[in-house]
Amino acid sequence: MFLLAGLLCAACTEMPEIAAPPVAPGPAPQIAPLDAVLAQMPPPGSVVTADPTGLAARAAALRARADALRGPLETTPAPGTP
């Protein structure tokens, strides 16, 4: 009963006008042939060693910084203590 009443109320409402997003400026994208795209891909199961974002260098820098922070602590005694 309540489900039917909810459906009837929903059917009587006005739908909002939805505008399409504006088209981005510039030339239209070109569709590339699938054979050319697949030729650029490495074969299945192969390991790619390239690091395009430089994550290995960033990780090494963070490890070096962490090692420097783990070094010996230099503490000074509080004033008034022997």
Side-chain angles (χ1 to χ4, degrees), residues 16-59:
E17 190 68 30
I18 299 175
V23 177
Q30 299 295 320
I31 297 176
L34 185 59
D35 295 333
V37 174
L38 291 177
Q40 297 174 358
M41 299 296 295
S46 64
V47 176
V48 179
T49 59
D51 186 13
T53 59
L55 287 177
R58 289 178 58 198

